[in-house]
Amino acid sequence: MSAPRILATGRCLPQRVVTNEELSRRVDTSDEWVFSRTGIRSRHFCVEETGLDLAAKAACQAMDRAGVTVADVGVCIVATFTPDHASPSTACLLQRELGLEEDTVCFDVNAACAGFLYGLKTAHALLSDSPRPCALIVGAEVISRVMDMTDRNTCVLFGDGAGAAVVRREESRIWHTVFGTRGDRSSIRVQGPGPAPAAIHMDGKAVFRFAVEVVEKSIRQLLAAEGLSSINDLDLVVCHQANARIIDFVAKRLGAREGLFYKNMDRCGNTSAASIPIALDELAESGQLRPGMRIVTVGFGGGLTWAGALLRW
Ligand code: UT7
């Protein structure tokens, strides 16, 4: 049995902070509506920064903290649905930016808000016959680029940012995963390519119902795989940060103790594939992640896709 061990994480958020208050001057909304329905108070939007800039900063920080060099990295995966270009992939540009070796396996994955965990699973598999021991997985999104600022149903929810993790394949580590796909073009869709500007459309209520269903189901499956009878046997749960109400609903259904589920959407909004690695990095940086901790993480979103993992820190 082998599993990926996260050696270190990094993150980069654009400098510009946009509060609900500021948005309410451009959009027919209010801080009260957005916070009470989502738990979001502010998010970051790129001004000058590209997705590659965010990815490179997060990746460099993770590599520095892990104490790895380009000679250690055999796989580089960027999870994104908002790349700077349809081609080249952000991962290819990151190879050049970081000076990764030319034989590093570099590509993007698009599994929307579940993308980081799809990347982690793929990187772990690819490391089995990689000449180098480590993989870099980055979730990087510039969602402000595909936002319709006249659609108050979606434009108040999302933010930009990147989170990164350096992982190594290790024997005898705990690692259970669940993945799911439910092809559906009506619940969440980003229009394009075409003459009209790309824009996210979302049926919020349908996605909310989907989210609470698959997050609860995934956590139950991961607990069963590990032989645990209660969610409170876990040390931490880190879900995709779409909406505090989704997390609170699932936490209540599962009888979770107060504070078991991490939340940071108040400051970051929904950063899609970047939300889980950004959250992990905040937790690591603030000393809340200790070796041996048993963590569950679950992503869900467009596709529809979902993914969950139970791992040891
Ligand atoms: O990352 C991918 C995964 N995404 C998600 O998981 C998102 C899941 N969905 C959600 O988080 C929630 O459904 C939303 C936050 C998107 C919406 O919350 P809701 O409680 O489902 O609100 P709603 O869409 O039912 O809208 C309720 C009311 C409507 O007015 P009426 O028809 O009741 O008069 C909306 O027009 O709120 C109105 N509304 C707003 N009002 C002020 C919708 N957006 C806004 C807004 N400001 N920004």
Side-chain angles (χ1 to χ4, degrees):
M1 171 86 171
S2 80
R5 171 160 180 238
I6 298 181
L7 298 178
T9 54
R11 71 182 187 280
C12 179
L13 293 160
Q15 284 195 348
R16 179 152 156 66
V17 175
V18 179
T19 62
N20 292 343
E21 185 58 42
E22 180 179 341
L23 271 184
S24 69
R25 280 181 245 129
R26 295 169 65 186
V27 182
D28 180 16
T29 190
S30 65
D31 177 51
E32 197 282 326
W33 191 95
V34 179
F35 184 69
S36 64
R37 299 283 175 138
T38 68
I40 298 166
R41 286 263 190 228
S42 63
R43 73 289 290 143
H44 296 248
F45 282 173
C46 288
V47 179
E48 305 257 296
E49 304 98 330
T50 63
L52 176 63
D53 295 335
L54 303 181
K57 285 201 176 119
C60 283
Q61 193 178 47
M63 286 175 66
D64 282 352
R65 288 173 171 170
V68 304
T69 70
V70 293
D72 301 309
V73 177
V75 177
C76 169
I77 296 176
V78 177
T80 183
F81 80 99
T82 54
D84 296 338
H85 315 281
S87 184
S89 70
T90 305
C92 284
L93 299 176
L94 196 55
Q95 178 272 334
R96 161 69 67 102
E97 191 77 14
L98 300 179
L100 298 176
E101 303 288 352
E102 283 199 355
D103 61 353
T104 305
V105 180
C106 296
F107 59 94
D108 288 1
V109 297
N110 176 350
C113 310
F116 178 75
L117 292 175
Y118 275 77
L120 185 61
K121 178 84 172 181
T122 309
H124 176 242
L126 287 168
L127 281 178
S128 68
D129 63 355
S130 167
R132 290 186 290 278
C134 294
L136 185 58
I137 302 116
V138 186
E141 302 285 10
V142 187
I143 307 176
S144 58
R145 178 186 281 154
V146 296
M147 235 140 56
D148 175 354
M149 294 307 287
T150 65
D151 177 7
R152 69 176 183 172
N153 292 297
T154 56
C155 74
V156 299
L157 305 174
F158 296 96
D160 302 337
V166 174
V167 306
R168 194 169 57 204
R169 195 181 159 98
E170 286 193 357
E171 299 309 313
S172 305
R173 288 186 69 84
I174 293 177
W175 167 241
H176 303 292
T177 56
V178 292
F179 287 88
T181 300
R182 193 177 291 168
D184 173 347
R185 96 175 84 224
S186 58
S187 299
I188 311 181
R189 186 176 69 250
V190 181
Q191 203 58 46
I200 299 185
H201 301 276
M202 183 167 73
D203 176 347
K205 280 207 184 314
V207 179
F208 195 101
R209 282 193 298 273
F210 154 75
V212 293
E213 176 208 327
V214 299
V215 174
E216 180 184 345
K217 181 170 78 175
S218 300
I219 294 174
R220 288 192 190 281
Q221 287 171 332
L222 292 166
L223 291 174
E226 180 68 353
L228 301 177
S229 56
S230 164
I231 189 154
N232 294 314
D233 295 332
L234 298 171
D235 294 298
L236 202 59
V237 181
V238 180
C239 288
H240 168 49
Q241 304 287 306
N243 187 326
R245 286 193 296 134
I246 293 174
I247 291 177
D248 293 344
F249 185 92
V250 173
K252 193 166 172 201
R253 293 263 311 170
L254 292 168
R257 66 179 182 273
E258 189 67 31
L260 182 63
F261 283 68
Y262 186 68
K263 289 187 228 162
N264 72 357
M265 74 286 286
D266 58 325
R267 290 165 280 122
C268 298
N270 176 346
T271 57
S272 192
S275 80
I276 289 174
I278 288 173
L280 289 175
D281 189 56
E282 286 186 358
L283 285 159
E285 198 174 71
S286 60
Q288 295 177 70
L289 290 176
R290 288 177 299 283
M293 279 174 83
R294 209 156 23 187
I295 297 169
V296 157
T297 172
V298 185
F300 54 88
L304 300 167
T305 56
W306 66 97
L310 188 152
L311 42 89
R312 284 254 188 209
W313 194 252

